[in-house]
Amino acid sequence: MELIERIERAETELVWSFGDIPGPGPSLLGLTRRRFGSVVALAAPRDTLSFWSQASGFGLDRAVTSAVIGEVLDYLKTVGCATANLSIVPSALPSDWDAIATSYGITPGQTTVQVTRTAGPVEQAPSDFRVEPIGPQHADAWAQLQVDAYEMRDDGFRAMLAAYTDWPNATAYAAWDGDTMVATGSLHVIDGVGRLRSGATHPAYRGRGAQSALLTRRMTDAFAQGCDVVTTGSWKPEPGRHNPSLANMLRLGFEALADRTPQIWRLS
């Protein structure tokens, strides 16, 4: 199995696992989910941020066709969604994708660069901050830091984040300056793939190495848990622009795997 396919399968199961999140988040969002062969669709019709509704796993067990896309979108519309992100690896896009996209009201989103790091020794990034997993007693502060950093203020979004410490196969991490939480990160482990998410830093502490320390700590822990690869990503800068987050990942030993452009469906 090629690495891109393996990571896509792990990511698809991660999306499915969102339906198992404890706490009030799923109810606040009206969360439901359904499988269509290899495709997983997650629907959150009460999500005011258009963040959680998504579908992943296209092209893994059958070709991407208008009928396949329509089947997923019919489900999303039936449960009340008006928008969703469709994750389709570039190699799975059919030759008539432009026509399919136009017929369903699908447009490309912002391209990201997916990066990976294979198992091996990890040099811990120097930092003045203490980095460690957190427990439920810090979950609310961990969620609030991300809500503030992302400026994504929605009760359901916050409740989902606050349940991270109880998510299956997930570990929430924080960087601390004394007793002050200054940055966040998470690690999801699925089928030997470590997925790094939730990177947010308090504005007053940006540029001081908190995310580097969180990245190297999570890589180390992922490999210790048996992962042979970790993956994450960040937005692809346009020519002449710089993305410090992506540059930091590459500096820490990640390698670019592929560009990924989410396909955004909106109900017309």
Side-chain angles (χ1 to χ4, degrees):
M1 184 187 302
E2 292 186 359
L3 182 58
I4 290 177
E5 178 182 341
R6 185 170 165 230
I7 290 175
E8 185 69 10
R9 289 186 182 278
E11 183 75 14
T12 299
E13 291 311 306
L14 174 59
V15 172
W16 181 258
S17 75
F18 293 160
D20 297 323
I21 294 171
S27 178
L28 288 169
L29 296 171
L31 205 67
T32 61
R33 59 186 177 175
R34 182 172 296 177
R35 290 187 185 271
F36 300 85
S38 66
V39 178
V40 163
L42 186 78
R46 294 198 289 272
D47 176 15
T48 64
L49 302 174
S50 302
F51 179 83
W52 295 98
S53 294
Q54 56 194 289
S56 182
F58 292 95
L60 295 178
D61 67 347
R62 53 179 170 165
V64 178
T65 64
S66 179
V68 169
I69 297 296
E71 185 180 32
V72 173
L73 296 185
D74 283 347
Y75 160 69
L76 292 169
K77 288 185 286 186
T78 297
V79 297
C81 291
T83 185
N85 290 354
L86 311 182
S87 177
I88 309 175
V89 297
S91 60
L93 291 173
S95 59
D96 61 342
W97 174 251
D98 287 347
I100 294 173
T102 299
S103 69
Y104 286 111
I106 298 170
T107 56
Q110 184 178 43
T111 298
T112 63
V113 180
Q114 186 175 29
V115 299
T116 60
R117 171 73 148 78
T118 55
V122 178
E123 182 178 350
Q124 297 301 304
S127 175
D128 295 330
F129 304 120
R130 183 179 81 257
V131 174
E132 58 191 15
I134 65 163
Q137 72 273 27
H138 299 300
D140 285 341
W142 191 83
Q144 191 61 49
L145 194 156
Q146 293 177 73
V147 167
D148 293 341
Y150 300 146
E151 297 184 351
M152 298 176 74
R153 295 177 174 85
D154 173 272
D155 289 343
F157 179 74
R158 189 185 187 285
M160 295 284 275
L161 295 179
Y164 250 69
T165 54
D166 294 319
W167 276 28
N169 305 310
T171 306
Y173 292 79
W176 299 84
D177 181 13
D179 294 329
T180 302
M181 185 184 298
V182 303
T184 65
S186 67
L187 167 64
H188 298 258
V189 174
I190 299 178
D191 296 332
V193 175
R195 179 68 162 89
L196 309 184
R197 296 169 59 98
S198 309
T201 305
H202 189 286
Y205 289 87
R206 289 172 184 165
R208 295 176 54 185
Q211 284 302 323
S212 294
L214 281 160
L215 280 168
T216 53
R217 171 61 190 270
R218 288 179 290 166
M219 280 193 284
T220 299
D221 289 358
F223 297 148
Q225 293 180 45
C227 294
D228 60 354
V229 65
V230 294
T231 183
T232 185
S234 190
W235 56 271
K236 183 178 182 178
E238 297 177 358
R241 295 191 63 190
H242 177 67
N243 177 355
S245 178
L246 177 60
N248 190 43
M249 294 170 185
L250 298 175
R251 182 178 60 83
L252 293 173
F254 284 90
E255 295 183 352
L257 178 66
D259 289 353
R260 296 296 301 270
T261 302
Q263 305 297 326
I264 313 299
W265 164 73
R266 293 181 178 86
L267 182 64
S268 60

